[in-house]
Amino acid sequence: VINRDDIIKKIKSVKMIPPVVTQIITAVSTPDFDIKEVAKLVTTDVSLTANILKIVNSPYLGLIDKINTINQAVVVVGSKVLMNLVILTAAEMTAREPVHGYDLAGEDLWKNSLATAIASFTIAEKNKFENSNIAFTAGLLHDMGKIVLGDFIGSDVNEVIRIASENKMTFLEAERKVYGTDHQEISGMMLEYWKFPQILIDSVRYHHEPEKYTAGGVNEKYVYAVHAGDAIALKTGIGTGADGLTYQMNNTAMEKLGLKNSDMEEIMALTIIEFKKMEKDLVQNHPK
Ligand SMILES: [Fe+2]
């Protein structure tokens, strides 16, 4: 019998994130991060630097002159775009894993995470959040718990779906009934274990149930942005797994974020366009 403790123990066996990745993610998650500090951190890691320069020089950004250094990249592509690429590359070094269970074939989890990151970032930008990178990072990492929980679910995903539909439960409630925990709780615990900033932990921990985040404060809007970003990503159908079938969006989320239906449509269209560009240049041909 699988229990919650076994699942939590498994978190500690997941590959540890390189310290430089934790440092970068922590640095870009502060409201007034210093781009020079981040650039300095990036350059301490040779493979991270090489991967980022390769992306910056890919057709994705359509630059004419070749970029040879991270500092040059900051000047040419600007801090926002560069930070998204840094976060993407850093997260990819650890988080691009196949997922058993959840009906997530190949790189579906990674694709869905990227679509969620783009949608959450777009919402944050639209609402002029202090630091939209936080929404991007949280979107990218929100479903990491599936890597751990998926190993336990294995071929039993149909069992979770059956329990969900028979009891008219959400996928999350069915996960809790079967495993005593759910993938958002495990995502939160993983980020905690990796010593990521609290604002990221909160944003992934409540991504399906933002109303359960009761601490308020500045973190709340990021929780809602990732929730709505996830809903939009699922609607695009990009890398959607078994739990997408029973997804329920919180009915106050749009109001909290000041979004209308037409905004949702627009963000969804932007997400698809941006994802396709990124997928072509970053996901398919990206060096590992
Ligand atoms: Fe999720």
Side-chain angles (χ1 to χ4, degrees):
V1 178
I2 299 158
N3 66 44
R4 198 169 177 272
D5 293 342
D6 293 334
I7 297 168
I8 291 167
K9 248 183 250 154
K10 183 83 193 271
I11 294 173
K12 302 207 165 66
S13 72
V14 170
K15 145 166 96 168
M16 200 57 201
I17 290 213
V20 65
V21 172
T22 311
Q23 284 168 6
I24 289 168
I25 289 189
T26 304
V28 298
S29 302
T30 55
D32 50 354
F33 72 94
D34 181 357
I35 182 81
K36 286 196 200 108
E37 258 330 287
V38 178
K40 215 193 280 171
L41 282 170
V42 170
T43 52
T44 64
D45 190 291
V46 178
S47 69
L48 189 59
T49 304
N51 281 355
I52 289 165
L53 289 177
K54 176 142 188 171
I55 294 169
V56 170
N57 286 301
S58 76
Y60 169 63
L61 290 171
L63 302 176
I64 297 159
D65 295 327
K66 190 166 164 38
I67 308 290
N68 297 306
T69 67
I70 296 291
N71 283 326
Q72 221 181 331
V74 176
V75 177
V76 180
V77 304
S79 65
K80 258 178 197 156
V81 172
L82 186 70
M83 280 313 102
N84 283 356
L85 297 177
V86 168
I87 296 160
L88 185 66
T89 312
E92 188 173 38
M93 289 169 84
T94 48
R96 198 169 171 178
E97 298 270 338
V99 182
H100 315 288
Y102 288 99
D103 280 354
L104 286 163
E107 298 201 313
D108 279 355
L109 177 69
W110 184 243
K111 287 179 182 172
N112 180 264
S113 301
L114 182 54
T116 305
I118 296 166
S120 307
F121 178 81
T122 309
I123 293 168
E125 285 287 275
K126 210 174 167 60
N127 284 288
K128 301 195 168 52
F129 283 15
E130 298 81 1
N131 184 350
S132 309
N133 292 321
I134 294 169
F136 187 88
T137 314
L140 205 54
L141 302 173
H142 77 290
D143 266 350
M144 285 304 107
K146 286 184 179 174
I147 293 173
V148 167
L149 204 53
D151 270 351
F152 291 94
I153 288 186
S155 56
D156 289 343
V157 70
N158 291 329
E159 173 72 359
V160 181
I161 293 169
R162 189 184 59 78
I163 288 169
S165 76
E166 268 177 17
N167 300 288
K168 297 210 177 354
M169 288 172 168
T170 62
F171 194 88
L172 208 72
E173 287 163 341
E175 280 180 348
R176 287 198 284 256
K177 194 172 162 69
V178 179
Y179 301 106
T181 183
D182 59 59
H183 74 271
Q184 62 174 4
E185 185 182 27
I186 301 296
S187 292
M189 285 179 176
M190 287 168 86
L191 265 59
E192 221 161 0
Y193 180 59
W194 291 333
K195 300 197 170 24
F196 280 3
Q198 193 61 39
I199 197 161
L200 292 178
I201 297 169
D202 289 344
S203 304
V204 304
R205 172 69 184 82
Y206 299 96
H207 74 264
H208 287 287
E209 299 169 318
E211 69 282 359
K212 289 197 178 165
Y213 178 76
T214 51
V218 75
N219 295 12
E220 188 184 49
K221 63 187 179 198
Y222 291 90
V223 174
Y224 276 92
V226 174
H227 172 68
D230 190 23
I232 291 169
L234 285 168
K235 273 196 183 167
T236 67
I238 299 167
T240 304
D243 61 336
L245 303 169
T246 57
Y247 198 87
Q248 270 175 354
M249 182 146 156
N250 174 286
N251 53 18
T252 66
M254 284 171 62
E255 198 186 314
K256 289 232 184 214
L257 294 163
L259 295 172
K260 299 188 290 289
N261 278 326
S262 57
D263 296 322
M264 297 292 278
E265 298 288 323
E266 188 193 325
I267 294 163
M268 187 171 145
L270 284 171
T271 300
I272 294 170
I273 293 168
E274 193 65 13
F275 176 84
K276 282 193 173 148
K277 275 206 290 179
M278 283 203 183
E279 186 190 33
K280 189 162 166 284
D281 286 326
L282 315 184
V283 179
Q284 287 170 354
N285 310 316
H286 192 44
K288 291 221 87 179

